[in-house]
Amino acid sequence: MTSSPQKQGSEALRSLVNALDELHRAAGRPSARTVSALITEDDSQPTTVSHEGVRTTLKGLRVPRWETVRSIASVLALQCSPPRDPSTEVARLLSLWRTIREGESGALKSGRELTLSEGWGGENGEWTPEQVAGIMINPHSAIRIDPSLTLPHEPLLTEEEWVQVNVRMIETNGAEFFLRALLRTLKGDYVGAESGAPYGYRDPDYEAVEAYEAFQYGCEQILRRLRAEPNLLQRSIAAMRTDETMDREDRAEMLRHESDPALMREVMTVTPETWHEVSEEAHHMVFGYLIKEGRTVGRPGLPPGQRFLLTWRIPEPIEG
């Protein structure tokens, strides 16, 4: 059961006031007269705002004009320490202000705004209306997509639920938003894509393949560096010994491996030329010595250099 338009409006106004209060607090709570003066001094602002207008807006005594909210947010953002990006703060408040005027649909970007923006939002850990819409629009949520296009997964919705949800979305937000969001999803920019796995599930077999591909990429980069830096292994081992951030279990496992004389003989004598002659255990040891962390940062299908990020114990030398 949805709430009445009046209740939705009051809740949206309260959300806007809370967001402005957070911004005002982060700026050191300058007085209404100070904020008004800052707006007047800034020729880029769409309007001037009296100190009384600033006060009533921050207190939520009435629904302000958008130009008023935009001007106040812009100058407050620059007063924060460190300064915030005014355009980011203004965009955040715009959806709240539109919700007051338009109801729930006002919180959602238009199809054109979605096209011009990057990603789905939510970088601050809070779900955005676009993220929720993106999940509902994604057919992956409702059907088992053909194996040639994706990996097996359990749908979140039935097909009928998916159809009904998106019929309502089109009725509420228009066909343009739905179609643009669907196209973005099908092109690979879906909610959750940044995690590196297809949205909606984690597949053990997929994760094993991903880990193997990351390891292989790391080994290729290790060989590249060993050819150019013959003493890299020794320097990396020394760096690892002094790394106070190293996980205790990882260090304990490394010490267990180091107690094997035969394995350590392979590790300490390996060269790019003999790399394929030593054991896989030796490869893993060298990997652990040289690479502090390897993680997935890109979606499947990207080149390894864009998909995996390696953090070296000894940073790569700067060319030139």
Side-chain angles (χ1 to χ4, degrees):
M1 181 177 179
T2 59
S3 56
S4 66
Q6 292 83 359
K7 184 176 181 181
Q8 289 179 3
S10 63
E11 291 175 350
L13 178 59
R14 184 160 55 251
S15 296
L16 176 64
V17 171
N18 289 340
L20 281 169
D21 182 69
E22 185 279 329
L23 186 58
H24 189 214
R25 180 174 181 270
R29 295 203 183 281
S31 68
R33 291 186 183 276
T34 298
V35 175
S36 176
L38 290 171
I39 294 172
T40 301
E41 294 168 3
D42 188 346
D43 294 335
S44 67
Q45 298 308 321
T47 187
T48 58
V49 184
S50 68
H51 71 275
E52 184 62 18
V54 173
R55 187 185 72 84
T56 57
T57 299
L58 293 177
K59 294 292 185 182
L61 300 181
R62 63 170 180 265
V63 178
R65 295 184 303 136
W66 168 241
E67 292 84 354
T68 299
V69 176
R70 177 179 174 180
S71 297
I72 293 173
S74 295
V75 298
L76 286 178
L78 293 174
Q79 297 303 306
C80 294
S81 182
R84 297 183 183 180
D85 179 18
S87 62
T88 300
E89 295 301 316
V90 167
R92 179 170 67 96
L93 295 174
L94 176 58
S95 65
L96 298 176
W97 182 85
R98 286 199 308 209
T99 303
I100 300 172
R101 298 288 186 178
E102 304 171 21
E104 291 182 1
S105 63
L108 206 62
K109 293 177 180 177
S110 67
R112 180 62 176 165
E113 288 174 319
L114 184 68
T115 300
L116 295 175
S117 64
E118 294 184 3
W120 299 85
E123 290 79 6
N124 61 355
E126 297 181 3
W127 280 82
T128 66
E130 289 74 31
Q131 284 180 302
V132 176
I135 291 175
M136 294 298 100
I137 288 171
N138 193 339
H140 201 281
S141 299
I143 60 174
R144 294 179 182 272
I145 297 176
D146 188 273
S148 65
L149 301 176
T150 184
L151 296 174
H153 68 284
E154 289 299 323
L156 300 177
L157 309 170
T158 66
E159 292 183 38
E160 185 62 27
E161 288 171 336
W162 185 85
V163 170
Q164 293 303 317
V165 164
N166 286 293
V167 165
R168 289 196 297 272
M169 185 172 297
I170 292 173
E171 291 174 348
T172 303
N173 304 299
E176 182 184 2
F177 175 87
F178 174 85
L179 292 172
R180 290 188 183 279
L182 180 59
L183 287 176
R184 171 178 282 190
T185 295
L186 294 176
K187 288 189 290 186
D189 184 8
Y190 46 82
V191 178
E194 67 279 358
S195 68
Y199 166 74
Y201 71 99
R202 298 297 296 179
D203 183 272
D205 292 335
Y206 170 84
E207 292 179 352
V209 171
E210 182 181 65
Y212 176 77
E213 291 176 348
F215 177 70
Q216 290 297 106
Y217 171 69
C219 289
E220 292 173 3
Q221 298 308 303
I222 287 172
L223 288 174
R224 175 182 61 80
R225 290 199 63 183
L226 286 177
R227 291 188 182 98
E229 305 168 67
N231 64 341
L232 179 62
L233 178 58
Q234 289 72 22
R235 293 167 58 209
S236 297
I237 292 175
M240 188 205 72
R241 302 280 190 230
T242 59
D243 183 5
E244 297 180 355
T245 66
M246 187 174 181
D247 182 79
R248 180 176 298 179
E249 292 185 4
D250 290 343
R251 189 181 295 278
E253 183 178 3
M254 187 68 77
L255 290 173
R256 283 196 297 272
H257 289 311
E258 288 178 344
S259 65
D260 184 338
L263 176 59
M264 289 306 298
R265 191 178 304 111
E266 284 188 289
V267 170
M268 299 308 295
T269 60
V270 71
T271 66
E273 292 71 30
T274 62
W275 179 264
H276 298 291
E277 299 174 9
V278 301
S279 65
E280 186 174 345
E281 289 82 358
H283 292 168
H284 280 280
M285 282 285 287
V286 175
F287 189 103
Y289 281 140
L290 270 65
I291 297 175
K292 183 175 182 178
E293 180 187 24
R295 57 192 178 95
T296 302
V297 295
R299 62 178 181 270
L302 289 175
Q306 298 177 29
R307 189 177 174 198
F308 304 115
L309 177 65
L310 304 177
T311 302
W312 298 91
R313 297 194 186 279
I314 302 296
E316 292 200 67
I318 300 175
E319 296 182 0

